[in-house]
Amino acid sequence: MYAIVDIAGKQFKVTQDQFIYAPLMEGEEGASVEFNKVLLTDNDGKVKVGAPTIKGAKVSGKILGHVKGDKVVVFKKKRRKGYKVKNGHRQDYTKVLIEKIA
C-alpha cells in the first residue's frame, strides 16, 4: 500500500515504515505528525484518487530529527571585470518515519 501526500506544497509517494526528508517542520524529535492532504491511495491495485484530497484519509508519522541537506555551491563571475563571488547553501529538512496509512 502506498499514498501520495502533500507536505508543505511538495508531493511525496510514501509507504509504511519508510523514511522521507520533508521540508523543515515544527516539532521536537520523537513527536508524532499527521498529514491530512492525501491525494491518492493504492491498496493492492485498488486506487482512490481525491478531488483534490481524499476525505478521511490520514498518514501518520514520527519526527526522527532535523537534518541539513548536501551543500550547493553558488558561484557568480563576470568575465574580464575581476568579479567573483562564491557562496554555499544547505537546506534544512525534517527526517520523518511514516508509521501508518489510514
Side-chain angles (χ1 to χ4, degrees):
M1 178 174 192
Y2 73 88
I4 296 180
V5 183
D6 188 330
I7 303 171
K10 297 184 187 225
Q11 295 179 8
F12 294 91
K13 179 181 176 183
V14 296
T15 58
Q16 197 165 350
D17 300 326
Q18 175 190 4
F19 300 106
I20 60 167
Y21 291 96
L24 189 66
M25 292 187 268
E26 297 288 324
E28 296 290 320
E29 228 175 275
S32 62
V33 289
E34 276 191 356
F35 306 111
N36 295 324
K37 290 185 180 180
V38 179
L39 306 175
L40 181 140
T41 59
D42 181 3
N43 192 0
D44 299 325
K46 295 179 184 175
V47 178
K48 278 189 187 177
V49 180
T53 60
I54 299 172
K55 288 187 170 126
K58 287 186 205 172
V59 174
S60 59
K62 181 176 169 184
I63 295 177
L64 296 179
H66 302 290
V67 295
K68 286 192 170 197
D70 294 335
K71 182 173 270 195
V72 177
V73 176
V74 180
F75 184 74
K76 298 178 182 178
K77 180 181 177 184
K78 296 194 186 213
R79 63 186 189 154
R80 298 188 301 269
K81 305 294 181 207
Y83 172 78
K84 289 190 251 177
V85 175
K86 182 179 178 183
N87 282 317
H89 176 75
R90 291 183 72 187
Q91 188 71 33
D92 292 320
Y93 293 105
T94 300
K95 188 174 181 180
V96 178
L97 171 66
I98 303 299
E99 293 178 326
K100 187 178 173 187
I101 299 173

